[in-house]
Every structure is written in C-alpha cells, then in structure tokens.
Amino acid sequence: MTTNDLHDSPPPGASRGAWRAVFSLTLGVFSLVMAEFLPASLLTPMANSLAISEGQAGQAVTVTAVVALISGLLVASVTQRLDRRHVLLAFSLLMIAANLLVAYSPDLILLLAGRVLLGVALGGFWALSAATVMRLVSEHDVPRALSILFAGVPIATISAAALGSYLGELVGWRNVFLLTTAISVLTLIFQYATLPRMTPERPSPLGTLVSVMKRPGMMVGIVAVLLVFCGHFTFFTYVRPFLEGVSHMGINALSSTLLAFGVANFFGTLAAGYLLERSLRMTLLLMPLIMGSLGWLLATLGGFSTGTDALMVALWGFAFGAVPVAWSTWITRVVPDEAESGGGLIVASIQLAIALGAAAGGVVFGIGGVLTVCATAGTMLLAGAALVVAGVRTQSVDTAFEACDAERSACS
C-alpha cells in the first residue's frame, strides 16, 4: 500500500480545503496543550479555592499524562470502525466537557474527572494526528503539514505559562478555564466545517500494536524516541533551577530566557518542515546531536556568562522544536499502512519519557546537582543520536524493496 492509497478522495481541487483542515487540527493542538498545562500556572489559586494541597492540585497534570498514554495506545483499536472525522470531533467535545468540569469543580474528585476526560482526548488526538495528516495532504507535503500542526504546541505552552498566570490573577482560575472552553468550542466549529469524511482504512485490533513493534527497526526507533524525549525532559524539568542557581538570573532575565526558549521552539517547529523535505535521517540525527552537545556545554561552561547560557537554552528550544515533527514524520514513512497504531506507540513513548525524564532528573539533581542533570540529559540525547545512526530505518521495508527493484531495473 502506498501513502497515496490512504486518501479517501484526493481530487486536485481539494488542496485548499485540505490545508484548512490541517489548520483546524493545529487549533486543536493549541487548545489541547493549553488545557493540559494550565494547572501548572494556576496551581496555587486552584489549591486554595478547592481547599487542597498544591501537591494534590499538581496531580491534575499527572493524571492527564497517564490517561493520555493509555488512550494513545488504545484509540486505534477501540475506534477501528468509526469515521475519523467523527472520532476527532468527539475528542473536541470531550475537551469542552473536560474544561467545563474543571471550571465548575467543587472538589478534587470532579477536578480529576475533568482531567481524565482531557487525557482521553489528548492521547487519542495525538495518536491519530500523523495518520490524519497523511490522508489530508500529498506524501510530499506531509512534513510541512506536520510542522504546521506542531506549531500549536509552543504557542500553547507559552500561553498557558504566561497568559494563564496573568489572567488567573485578573479574573480567577475558573474563568481562565472557561476562556479555554470558548477556544475549544471554536476548535470544534472549525473542525466540523473543514474536516472531510475519513472512513477507517482497515480494522486495527489491539494485537496490531505488537505486530507493528515487531517490524524491522521499530524497536530501535522507539528506544531512540524514549532516549531523546527523556533527555529533553530531564533537562527541561530543571531548567529554572539551572538558570537561577548556576546562571544567577533574576526574575526578569529568567522570564526573558524562558520566553526566548518558547519563541525559538516555535521557529524550530516551522523549520522542521523545510529540513524534513530534504532529509528525514539528517533531522532525526542533527537535533538530538545539537541538544546533547548543548547539555554537556551547559554542564561544563554554564555560569560563565548569563548571555551565553540564555543563548544555549534558546538554541535547545529551537532544536527541540523539530524533534516531535521529525518522529511523527518517521512513523508515516516506516509504517504508512499502520500509521494510527504507530502514532499510538509514539504517544505512549513520549508520555512515558516525560515521566521518566522528570523522575531521572529528580534523582540526579538530588545526587549531583543541576550541572549533573545537564550532563545526564546530554548523554541520553547523544545516545539517541547514536541509535539513529546505528539502526533507525527511515522508510518501510516494502518501500526499501521497491527502491532496490527500481535501481536494479534502471541498471539492467
């Protein structure tokens, strides 16, 4: 099966509508990611309002990540006979319900219930995103479409951190979630107007996950994903202690550096489309190589110059911007016939890497301090880059055979 076979109906005049659909998915990414991270910037007022500890309120983020991991693995099999348009619209409805439940929650139980609904929508959406993009645009345009899709992530992250805390002080945390609900409603309307019908391609029973993992090069690729994302989140979880304790930044310099990280991350996401159109393997290798080198530079040279430290953190943000786009593109190339199940594996791997990275960073921070965290993160990332060189395939086995046959035909 070729990638073009995955389109329901690819008439030439449908391209403009297809790109509108891609932008509607980008708005979905923005809405989901902003809702995911809002509690982190509203932790104290949420805890005070609900009469719970900040640690308990923090579980609003944890439970979403855990449920997203499970949802990402199960969505392809649970919804295997449903039109993908209907499934994606259902996720937007779940997001609206989740935000409303949180906004009006009188206690921790309903707060966590809302976050469970968000986790279902988040994991399911990300698992289907790459496969959906494959059905909206041509094979050549998939990297560019994915870079547009992922551009919603840094915008949402910045908005959740900066606007969330600012608006929380002005209008209260519940009204911030109501505002997020309004954005979710706009997302639903936009997606309803632009997403075409996308009937399921083939049944995807739960055993498909196992068969996909057994394909040549998949296990190596998933381990590389774990190393790269774990390395990133090991560092990023402790970037503030680094900037405060090693770079000795005040609150203004700290805020500016984190903003620069977010802006650079946004441009790195957009640049990913350009890089991936030229070489998937180069992008998969270059980004963790840059980040790993920066990790060791921060560990050895950090603190000598505030400006240099800020520049290296911003460069890290730029490099990481291309990473999710590159690995999502990788899934569309190595398992084009099972992109939904492959996408679920990627989502689960990333959610697991977030948890492992934060945990590993905490252990290392307690043992050797924040500079050791930087070195550990750098080592993980360089190991991920080495795996890309050693054994990560960048095309499916069938595609490789077709290329070999074409080469032999040309030479005969």
Side-chain angles (χ1 to χ4, degrees), residues 9 21 83 98 117 163 185 201 228 232 367 386 398:
S9 54
D83 189 314
L117 292 181
L163 284 179
V185 171
E201 299 298 328
V228 171
H232 168 70
I367 296 174
D398 290 342

Side-chain angles (χ1 to χ4, degrees), residues 184-260:
S184 302
V185 171
L186 290 176
T187 298
L188 177 64
I189 294 171
F190 192 13
Q191 290 178 348
Y192 182 84
T194 59
L195 288 176
R197 289 189 60 207
M198 291 174 282
T199 54
E201 299 298 328
R202 60 165 75 184
S204 298
L206 200 55
T208 304
L209 290 171
V210 178
S211 63
V212 168
M213 279 297 293
K214 289 181 177 179
R215 294 193 184 187
M218 274 299 296
M219 183 64 76
V220 176
I222 293 298
V223 173
V225 170
L226 281 169
L227 283 170
V228 171
F229 280 89
C230 193
H232 168 70
F233 285 102
T234 296
F235 167 74
F236 189 67
T237 304
Y238 294 90
V239 65
R240 180 162 183 164
F242 173 86
L243 295 175
E244 289 177 330
V246 177
S247 304
H248 305 294
M249 291 186 182
I251 187 62
N252 290 334
L254 174 67
S255 300
S256 298
T257 301
L258 293 177
L259 177 62

Side-chain angles (χ1 to χ4, degrees), residues 23-380:
F23 281 109
S24 77
L25 295 177
T26 303
L27 184 58
V29 168
F30 172 80
S31 304
L32 283 165
V33 174
M34 185 169 181
E36 180 185 11
F37 291 116
L38 265 181
S41 62
L42 298 168
L43 210 58
T44 301
M46 288 176 68
N48 293 338
S49 173
L50 297 172
I52 58 178
S53 69
E54 291 188 0
Q56 289 174 312
Q59 298 309 308
V61 176
T62 305
V63 72
T64 302
V66 172
V67 174
L69 186 156
I70 299 169
S71 174
L73 287 174
L74 297 181
V75 65
S77 58
V78 171
T79 67
Q80 58 183 304
R81 301 190 184 282
L82 300 178
D83 189 314
R84 270 36 199 148
R85 166 185 161 86
H86 297 155
V87 175
L88 291 167
L89 292 176
F91 288 147
S92 293
L93 281 171
L94 274 181
M95 176 171 55
I96 293 170
N99 288 327
L100 284 174
L101 199 54
V102 170
Y104 290 109
S105 58
D107 52 37
L108 179 63
I109 299 300
L110 285 181
L111 172 69
L112 294 181
R115 300 298 292 181
V116 166
L117 292 181
L118 183 68
V120 173
L122 185 73
F125 177 90
W126 279 125
L128 299 182
S129 59
T132 302
V133 166
M134 289 175 68
R135 299 176 67 171
L136 292 174
V137 300
S138 67
E139 181 177 1
H140 177 267
D141 287 328
V142 166
R144 183 156 60 102
L146 285 173
S147 71
I148 292 172
L149 182 76
F150 278 92
V153 175
I155 299 174
T157 305
I158 295 169
S159 299
L163 284 179
S165 56
Y166 176 73
L167 291 176
E169 289 293 321
L170 287 181
V171 300
W173 70 270
R174 294 183 187 275
N175 286 322
V176 174
F177 275 97
L178 288 177
L179 176 61
T180 308
T181 303
I183 297 173
S184 302
V185 171
L186 290 176
T187 298
L188 177 64
I189 294 171
F190 192 13
Q191 290 178 348
Y192 182 84
T194 59
L195 288 176
R197 289 189 60 207
M198 291 174 282
T199 54
E201 299 298 328
R202 60 165 75 184
S204 298
L206 200 55
T208 304
L209 290 171
V210 178
S211 63
V212 168
M213 279 297 293
K214 289 181 177 179
R215 294 193 184 187
M218 274 299 296
M219 183 64 76
V220 176
I222 293 298
V223 173
V225 170
L226 281 169
L227 283 170
V228 171
F229 280 89
C230 193
H232 168 70
F233 285 102
T234 296
F235 167 74
F236 189 67
T237 304
Y238 294 90
V239 65
R240 180 162 183 164
F242 173 86
L243 295 175
E244 289 177 330
V246 177
S247 304
H248 305 294
M249 291 186 182
I251 187 62
N252 290 334
L254 174 67
S255 300
S256 298
T257 301
L258 293 177
L259 177 62
F261 175 95
V263 172
N265 186 248
F266 171 74
F267 283 107
T269 303
L270 293 182
Y274 174 84
L275 294 171
L276 289 165
E277 286 177 356
R278 279 142 188 83
S279 174
L280 172 58
R281 182 175 293 280
M282 179 196 72
T283 309
L284 290 173
L285 169 64
L286 188 60
M287 297 306 131
L289 188 61
I290 292 172
M291 295 161 67
S293 300
L294 287 169
W296 274 99
L297 286 172
L298 288 166
T300 54
L301 303 178
F304 284 103
S305 167
T306 300
T308 303
D309 290 351
L311 177 61
M312 286 194 285
V313 169
L315 285 174
W316 186 299
F318 179 87
F320 182 70
V323 169
V325 187
W327 284 107
S328 293
T329 303
W330 174 74
I331 277 293
T332 69
R333 300 276 178 86
V334 295
V335 285
D337 57 324
E338 294 291 355
E340 291 184 358
S341 295
L345 289 171
I346 289 289
V347 171
S349 301
I350 292 173
Q351 294 296 331
L352 179 61
I354 291 172
L356 291 177
V363 171
V364 173
F365 184 82
I367 296 174
V370 72
L371 292 178
T372 309
V373 170
C374 295
T376 302
T379 301
M380 290 181 186

